[in-house]
Amino acid sequence: MKQKIVMKVQLKSEKCRTKALKIAAVAKGVSKVSIEVEKEHVEVIGDGVDAVDLAKSLKKKLGYATIVSVAEVKKADDAKPFVPIEWTSSYIHYPVHYDGYYLW
């Protein structure tokens, strides 16, 4: 089961941002990591990621980290299946002739 973990951390500088990315990327089972600098959120998506261990690691290195949310990632296959559109042809093949002569 893939899950999305959002954590709030203090990102005071570029160095703190780099530390947060490294810690989140090294965590077991992580497939995607993103950081929103304006909101100071670290977003981790992965399979079997322990949110508490990740929070402890971030808190140890950065000084402050809290879990904002943990949610299951839904697959994109839930959308409607592709259905081809059936078009009818409006062009009908009729031989064109006038008074016995073809117009070619």
Side-chain angles (χ1 to χ4, degrees):
M1 171 180 81
K2 278 196 167 187
Q3 56 186 1
K4 176 181 175 182
I5 302 168
V6 179
M7 307 190 80
K8 185 173 183 173
V9 295
Q10 287 181 346
L11 299 174
K12 300 175 188 174
S13 65
E14 188 68 29
K15 187 176 180 181
C16 292
R17 183 179 178 274
T18 305
K19 278 185 184 180
L21 272 173
K22 284 181 182 178
I23 293 167
V26 173
K28 179 182 172 187
V30 173
S31 62
K32 182 180 176 187
V33 179
S34 68
I35 289 186
E36 297 175 13
V37 179
E38 296 170 0
K39 297 180 182 178
E40 296 186 340
H41 286 174
V42 176
E43 194 173 283
V44 178
I45 298 174
D47 190 21
V49 180
D50 190 8
V52 176
D53 285 342
L54 185 60
K56 284 181 185 178
S57 301
L58 287 169
K59 188 173 184 178
K60 187 182 217 182
K61 293 286 183 177
L62 300 175
Y64 175 79
T66 57
I67 300 171
V68 175
S69 68
V70 178
E72 183 180 348
V73 176
K74 305 254 182 190
K75 290 185 178 179
D77 296 339
D78 296 340
K80 291 192 279 183
F82 177 74
V83 178
I85 299 173
E86 296 180 18
W87 294 93
T88 58
S89 176
S90 61
Y91 181 73
I92 303 172
H93 301 281
Y94 287 114
V96 180
H97 60 86
Y98 297 102
D99 298 330
Y101 297 103
Y102 288 102
L103 297 174
W104 294 334

